Amino acid sequence: MAARLTFGLIALFTVGLSLAPIDNPSWSQTPSSETVDLLRAETANTISFREKVAFIGPSGEEIIPSIGTYKVEPVGPSALRLIPFGKEEAFVIKAQSRKHDEDIGTPIALMAIDDKELFHVVLLLPEQQGLEAIGFSTRGRFRASPELLSATQLHEALMRKKAGQP
């Protein structure tokens, strides 16, 4: 009896959908440019980890964020806050102040892996300011003072972000 009722409701719903007008404006609306701009701004300051990466915390402790997507925010002149989506615990990692040549109006977070397999989390800020944190996975480790990304590497990472590539 319950199976027949469920089947009947599904059939009724399916028929109702097939009879619904296809030219319903609320179904075919494309997002306004304002909505698109808001979505771009929201994703501009996020990065995603696809593997575990270790960073150094402000007190010298090792910080290993979980795999996932994080909003990146500045914390003073020498740290970044990584805020995971859907979780409460945020991570603060040590960063270095840096300059850049990019013309941006809002903060943009980037992630790049250099030739030594080190992970660079960069938050570009307006007025050619920024912060950069360097981490490592099992593939790469600090042997000496790691170098910040070059202007070319930074520009390439920004172009990949704008193109929607990881």
Side-chain angles (χ1 to χ4, degrees), residues 82-98:
L82 304 177
I83 305 167
F85 285 91
K87 299 176 186 166
E88 292 181 25
E89 184 179 2
F91 302 93
V92 176
I93 57 176
K94 188 175 179 181
Q96 295 178 23
S97 182
R98 68 160 302 140

Side-chain angles (χ1 to χ4, degrees), residues 51-89:
E51 62 183 275
K52 298 252 182 180
V53 179
F55 293 93
I56 303 301
S59 304
E61 73 280 16
E62 190 172 87
I63 306 285
I64 304 176
S66 300
I67 294 171
T69 301
Y70 293 80
K71 180 178 178 183
V72 182
E73 295 179 341
V75 180
S78 62
L80 291 170
R81 179 179 294 116
L82 304 177
I83 305 167
F85 285 91
K87 299 176 186 166
E88 292 181 25
E89 184 179 2

Side-chain angles (χ1 to χ4, degrees), residues 132-144:
E132 183 170 342
I134 303 173
F136 57 90
S137 69
T138 55
R139 296 181 285 152
R141 286 269 180 187
F142 297 179
R143 287 205 170 60

